[in-house]
């Protein structure tokens, strides 16, 4: 009995929507735009968040970086305290490596933009990084072809290079095989010994795709290792079972002794870890998410008013019919369900169209930007939920009004 | 069908309650709520929508409106406690909801018992 009534209500509502196609289309357009706006913002924010978290993860969860500047942001950043600090040096790495007990691996890295050349193919401002051998064990990366440099190559400053996907494509177009070939890095000949796996675009700009990695002892021949522009840092990876806090405590002691700091003197180095970046980005994403929610919320509100308006018109138009239905024995809840279903249908169809548009947009974005944008399950559920709830909220008042009509007065209405 | 005149005070209180309920609606889009789980916005949305529906019932002087409002108030408090959503908004919503319930119960006998 209940199911029959339900089915009848749905069919009746569906028939009413089909009878006024243009009106149906115009009223669901509001919800379509609202859902499109709000879920697009959430989809983009989620994708950016995923990308940045991926980039942060690639730096390593259990890695502590010894740097000049701390990874904290905000209006109260005391930059004047940090600007006179010395940059980490390779000689300090030896000391740290010798003394540290809680680190599995320790490495040193510098980087600068240099010219890369192979025959007639030139890449200006290619990112060249000089790694100590140990940094290869600290950093997360994958080599798809060739190999990582050997310890003797790293120590001896051999002129070998591992190329990222984008740089390899630029220097060796037409599917030329790069391994074993010689390229020029900052004017010096260098043999390509490996290729990094393609990682795609990274919001932090730390993708391996546009990096050329050479041994540190080779890089120092053409990079200013004491300059801040080379962004030098020491990285230490914690042993299994050792927390970052324990590692930081140990590194603080070692670095203070290496730099000969007096007991009461402030640290002249920063110990950074990836969760500092994550925390900063959490706040940023929350702000973007809230801004998106406000913009989308207003669009949804407008869409909801549109549906409520259409439902009032619909009830007014069919008052006579409601009277006939009631006089033939239709219950109040049947009339209520009929109009409520109509509103929910309208809203749901609008929401589904909005979600389909976003789905198509993600395909289009795939071809334009080198970043994965996906419409997630949680966003689909959110979009459908909002559509149904807006349908109920905007349709309930006119539907309840219709259900409460007096059959005699309703039949008399023209 | 007997027509029950709605006291002005009920009109005012119901409008305030509807505005407060609708202001809670954007909470569904909050990143912090989304992070709690895929279905959390849906659950909160259903609670808010049913509270809205209950207030329409109160507006039409129906006893089911008050009953539904009380049920949804309890559901909301339990859900918020389960989701660990304590804070100013939580305590404030309890405060005004209890006031509304007391006020609606004062007028409960004047309301229509039919749907």
């Amino acid at each position: 009995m209940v199911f029959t009534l339900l089915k009848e209500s749905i069919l009746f509502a569906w028939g009413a929507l089909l009878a006024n196609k243009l009106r149906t289309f115009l009223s669901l357009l509001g919800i379509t735009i609202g859902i499109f706006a709000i879920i697009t913002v959430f989809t983009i924010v989620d994708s950016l968040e995923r990308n940045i978290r991926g980039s942060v993860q690639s730096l390593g969860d259990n890695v502590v970086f010894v740097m000049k500047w701390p990874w904290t942001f905000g209006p109260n950043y005391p930059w004047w305290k940090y600007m006179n600090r010395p940059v980490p040096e390779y000689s300090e790495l030896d000391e740290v490596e010798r003394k540290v007990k809680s680190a599995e691996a320790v490495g040193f890295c510098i980087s600068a933009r240099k010219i890369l050349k192979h025959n007639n193919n030139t890449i200006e401002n290619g990112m060249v990084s000089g790694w100590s051998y140990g940094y290869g064990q600290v950093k997360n990366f994958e080599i798809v072809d060739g190999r990582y440099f050997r310890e003797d190559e790293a120590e001896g400053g051999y002129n070998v290079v591992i190329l990222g996907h984008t740089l390899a494509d630029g220097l060796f177009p037409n599917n030329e095989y790069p391994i074993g070939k010689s390229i020029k890095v900052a004017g010096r000949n260098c043999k390509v010994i490996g290729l990094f796996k393609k990682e795609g675009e990274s919001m932090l700009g730390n993708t391996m795709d546009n990096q050329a990695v050479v041994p540190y002892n080779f890089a120092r021949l053409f990079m200013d290792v004491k300059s801040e522009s080379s962004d030098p840092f020491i990285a230490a990876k914690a042993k299994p079972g050792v927390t970052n806090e324990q590692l930081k405590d140990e590194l603080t002691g070692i670095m203070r002794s290496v730099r000969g700091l007096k007991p009461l003197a402030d640290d002249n180095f920063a110990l950074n870890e990836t969760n500092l970046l994550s925390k900063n980005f959490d706040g940023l994403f929350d702000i973007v998410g809230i801004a998106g929610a406000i913009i989308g919320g207003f669009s949804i509100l407008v869409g909801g008013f549109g549906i409520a308006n259409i439902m009032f018109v619909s009830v007014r138009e069919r008052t006579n019919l409601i009277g006939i239905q009631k006089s033939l024995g239709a219950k109040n809840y049947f009339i209520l369900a009929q109009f409520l279903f109509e509103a929910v249908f309208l809203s749901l169809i609008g929401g589904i169209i909005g979600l389909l548009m976003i789905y198509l947009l993600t395909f289009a974005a795939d071809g334009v930007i080198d970043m994965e944008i996906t419409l997630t399950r949680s966003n689909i559920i959110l979009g459908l939920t909002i559509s149904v709830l807006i349908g109920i909220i905007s349709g309930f008042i006119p539907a309840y009004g219709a259900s409460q009509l007096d059959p005699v007065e309703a039949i008399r209405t023209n | 069908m007997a027509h029950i005149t709605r006291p002005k005070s009920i009109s005012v209180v119901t409008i305030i309650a509807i505005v407060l309920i609708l202001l809670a609606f954007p909470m569904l889009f909050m990143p912090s709520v989304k992070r709690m789980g895929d279905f959390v916005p849906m659950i909160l949305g259903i609670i808010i929508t049913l509270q809205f529906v209950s207030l329409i019932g109160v507006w039409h002087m129906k006893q089911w409106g008050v009953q539904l409002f009380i049920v949804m108030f309890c559901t909301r408090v339990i859900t918020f406690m389960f989701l660990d959503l304590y804070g100013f908004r939580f305590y404030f919503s309890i405060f005004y909801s209890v006031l509304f319930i007391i006020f609606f119960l004062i007028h409960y006998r004047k309301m229509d018992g039919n749907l």
Side-chain angles (χ1 to χ4, degrees):
Chain A
M1 180 69 179
V2 175
F3 284 109
T4 315
L5 277 175
L6 203 71
K7 191 182 152 194
E8 272 183 36
S9 308
I10 293 171
L11 288 175
F12 211 91
W14 185 245
L17 292 178
L18 285 182
N20 299 292
K21 289 191 188 73
L22 182 63
R23 196 171 73 184
T24 304
F25 170 74
L26 289 174
S27 47
L28 63 81
L29 200 61
I31 292 292
T32 301
I33 293 167
I35 293 292
F36 178 78
I38 201 160
I39 303 297
T40 301
V41 172
F42 286 148
T43 300
I44 291 170
V45 167
D46 286 354
S47 301
L48 288 174
E49 198 172 346
R50 208 170 32 250
N51 183 291
I52 288 181
R53 284 198 198 289
S55 305
V56 169
Q57 292 289 320
S58 76
L59 293 171
D61 281 342
N62 55 348
V63 177
V64 174
F65 299 88
V66 182
M67 294 176 143
K68 176 177 172 174
W69 299 91
W71 286 345
T72 47
F73 309 101
N76 301 321
Y77 190 75
W79 52 270
W80 57 91
K81 272 189 182 174
Y82 311 133
M83 66 182 295
N84 290 325
R85 286 175 169 183
V87 293
E89 290 180 24
Y90 189 74
S91 57
E92 292 172 333
L93 171 75
D94 290 337
E95 285 284 304
V96 173
E97 214 165 13
R98 202 163 49 80
K99 290 179 178 171
V100 73
K101 300 274 187 297
S102 47
E104 186 181 288
V106 186
F108 189 84
C109 175
I110 52 169
S111 47
R113 298 209 169 264
K114 299 285 172 192
I115 297 172
L116 298 149
K117 205 168 176 183
H118 174 248
N119 295 338
N120 293 327
N121 304 308
T122 305
I123 293 175
E124 305 272 349
N125 290 322
M127 180 55 80
V128 180
S129 298
W131 291 7
S132 72
Y133 181 73
Y135 191 63
Q137 290 153 297
V138 176
K139 169 103 176 134
N140 295 324
F141 63 89
E142 232 178 288
I143 288 179
V144 282
D145 206 351
R147 61 179 176 83
Y148 183 62
F149 39 76
R150 296 189 308 265
E151 198 164 359
D152 61 301
E153 286 172 334
E155 291 303 318
Y158 280 44
N159 50 345
V160 287
V161 63
I162 308 167
L163 290 176
H165 181 267
T166 313
L167 292 186
D169 271 0
L171 292 171
F172 299 93
N174 311 321
N175 291 327
E176 202 180 334
Y177 188 63
I179 306 292
K181 302 268 167 55
S182 182
I183 64 166
K184 278 195 189 294
V185 177
R188 289 159 195 272
N189 284 322
C190 226
K191 187 181 164 191
V192 181
I193 60 162
L195 290 177
F196 288 114
K197 187 184 175 187
K198 186 181 180 184
E199 289 183 351
E201 202 74 45
S202 159
M203 295 304 295
L204 292 182
N206 64 336
T207 173
M208 297 307 293
D209 290 356
N210 46 26
Q211 287 201 34
V213 174
V214 296
Y216 167 79
N217 281 331
F218 175 60
R220 69 193 177 95
L221 300 175
F222 55 87
M223 281 189 206
D224 182 1
V225 295
K226 299 207 174 185
S227 162
E228 201 179 332
S229 62
S230 300
D231 194 23
F233 64 85
I234 296 168
K237 185 178 187 177
K239 277 182 180 166
V242 174
T243 63
N244 282 9
E245 282 310 308
Q246 288 170 317
L247 179 59
K248 277 168 86 172
D249 287 345
E250 195 185 3
L251 283 173
T252 304
I254 295 169
M255 284 304 295
R256 286 185 68 89
S257 86
V258 167
R259 293 196 172 173
L261 296 175
K262 290 189 174 135
L264 293 176
D266 287 338
D267 291 344
N268 61 355
F269 53 88
L271 296 179
N272 295 321
E273 49 184 320
T274 52
N275 69 7
L276 286 175
L277 282 179
S278 306
K279 275 180 199 161
N280 285 313
F281 283 117
D282 278 350
L284 180 73
F285 286 127
D286 278 358
I287 291 167
V288 176
I290 291 167
I294 292 168
I295 296 165
F298 275 109
S299 314
I300 293 276
L301 193 71
V302 173
F305 281 135
I307 288 193
N309 194 21
I310 283 300
M311 290 315 298
F312 276 118
V313 173
S314 193
V315 170
R316 188 98 184 136
E317 264 182 1
R318 279 150 47 193
T319 309
N320 191 281
L321 199 62
I322 293 165
I324 295 170
Q325 280 181 318
K326 287 189 106 174
S327 60
L328 290 174
K331 303 279 185 201
N332 283 359
Y333 60 82
F334 176 76
I335 306 291
L336 175 80
Q338 188 184 307
F339 282 95
L340 203 55
F341 274 124
E342 194 173 322
V344 171
F345 259 148
L346 259 178
S347 191
L348 192 60
I349 293 167
I352 290 170
I353 294 172
L355 288 173
L356 277 173
M357 281 164 65
I358 299 167
Y359 188 64
L360 294 175
L361 199 73
T362 58
F363 275 113
D366 265 353
V368 180
I369 50 172
D370 193 12
M371 190 181 87
E372 198 185 7
I373 294 182
T374 42
L375 179 59
T376 57
R377 189 185 64 171
S378 68
N379 283 332
I380 294 173
I381 293 171
L382 184 66
L384 295 177
T385 304
I386 295 169
S387 308
V388 172
L389 297 182
I390 286 292
I392 295 172
I393 288 176
S394 52
F396 190 80
I397 299 173
Y400 190 72
S403 75
Q404 298 297 302
L405 285 174
D406 181 22
V408 179
E409 282 177 21
I411 288 175
R412 278 198 199 136
T413 312
N414 287 322
Chain B
M1 209 177 292
H3 182 72
I4 301 166
T5 314
R6 183 178 55 247
K8 277 206 174 102
S9 54
I10 283 268
S11 303
V12 172
V13 169
T14 312
I15 288 170
I16 294 168
I18 287 175
V19 170
L20 286 170
I21 294 293
L22 290 182
L23 283 178
F25 200 74
M27 190 176 70
L28 308 188
F29 314 129
M30 290 298 157
S32 53
V33 173
K34 263 186 79 193
R35 237 175 261 136
M36 286 177 188
D38 290 353
F39 293 96
V40 173
M42 184 194 275
I43 295 165
L44 294 179
I46 291 169
I47 292 171
I48 291 169
T49 305
L50 288 178
Q51 276 193 311
F52 173 80
V53 167
S54 71
L55 290 169
I56 302 302
V58 175
W59 180 266
H60 285 271
M61 292 297 281
K62 299 288 178 181
Q63 286 183 346
W64 64 260
V66 180
Q67 292 157 5
L68 184 61
F69 189 82
I70 293 168
V71 170
M72 291 328 295
F73 165 71
C74 297
T75 314
R76 187 173 174 168
V77 170
I78 293 165
T79 312
F80 272 49
M81 281 163 74
F82 265 110
L83 295 172
D84 214 14
L85 280 173
Y86 297 103
F88 172 74
R89 184 180 281 180
F90 173 72
Y91 295 110
F92 182 60
S93 72
I94 289 181
F95 173 72
Y96 68 69
S97 298
V98 169
L99 285 183
F100 292 152
I101 289 169
I102 293 168
F103 186 78
F104 294 153
L105 286 175
I106 291 169
H107 295 274
Y108 188 72
R109 282 180 182 277
K110 293 179 206 160
M111 293 180 182
D112 181 10
N114 298 316
L115 282 175

